[in-house]
Amino acid sequence: MIGLPAGTQVWLVAGVTDMRRGFDGLAAVAQTALTANPFSGHIFVFRGKRGDLLKILWWDGHGLCLFSKRLERGRFVWPQANTGGIRLSSAQLSMLLEGIDWRHTVRTAPSRAA
């Protein structure tokens, strides 16, 4: 995965997004659904109706980047909300992209010094 610059926020856009949308359409969704500036340098993640396709919109400082990922098996874990957005950490984004349920992660107990 591409390393995120410090201070970059990751936003899941709740609900279902028409995956035929491109740069401008997804930027408009980010503006209306989250009242966020798509040119802020933050990452906006969208999911299609079937749940096996994600699109990620990111302004890298020079232009908009559009990434997509399709799972061959399974579905991406998505919140039940239909509107708004949910903020994720970069670690949760990594888990999401791997098809792991990012909502129920459990830390292991800290190791004891011998």
Side-chain angles (χ1 to χ4, degrees), residues 3-74:
L4 302 177
T8 302
Q9 296 178 8
V10 179
W11 289 97
L12 291 186
V13 179
V16 175
T17 302
D18 182 355
M19 290 288 105
R20 295 175 292 181
R21 292 179 186 247
F23 293 97
D24 297 330
L26 293 175
V29 170
Q31 283 180 323
T32 57
L34 302 176
T35 61
N37 180 2
F39 305 103
S40 63
H42 299 310
I43 292 176
F44 302 95
V45 185
F46 306 87
R47 189 183 90 153
K49 186 175 184 179
R50 290 192 333 223
D52 64 343
L53 180 64
L54 286 183
K55 284 191 176 179
I56 299 173
L57 188 68
W58 175 49
W59 173 261
D60 70 354
H62 303 288
L64 280 173
C65 301
L66 184 60
F67 303 97
S68 64
K69 180 166 184 175
R70 183 183 70 205
L71 292 177
E72 294 301 319
R73 291 191 317 242

Side-chain angles (χ1 to χ4, degrees), residues 60-112:
D60 70 354
H62 303 288
L64 280 173
C65 301
L66 184 60
F67 303 97
S68 64
K69 180 166 184 175
R70 183 183 70 205
L71 292 177
E72 294 301 319
R73 291 191 317 242
R75 302 284 181 259
F76 290 106
V77 175
W78 212 249
Q80 295 296 321
N82 291 326
T83 59
I86 295 175
R87 188 171 169 194
L88 298 183
S89 68
S90 58
Q92 288 173 315
L93 175 62
S94 294
M95 288 185 282
L96 172 69
L97 292 174
E98 292 297 322
I100 299 170
D101 189 346
W102 52 271
R103 301 169 301 172
H104 303 292
T105 56
V106 179
R107 289 192 185 272
T108 58
S111 60
R112 295 182 186 183

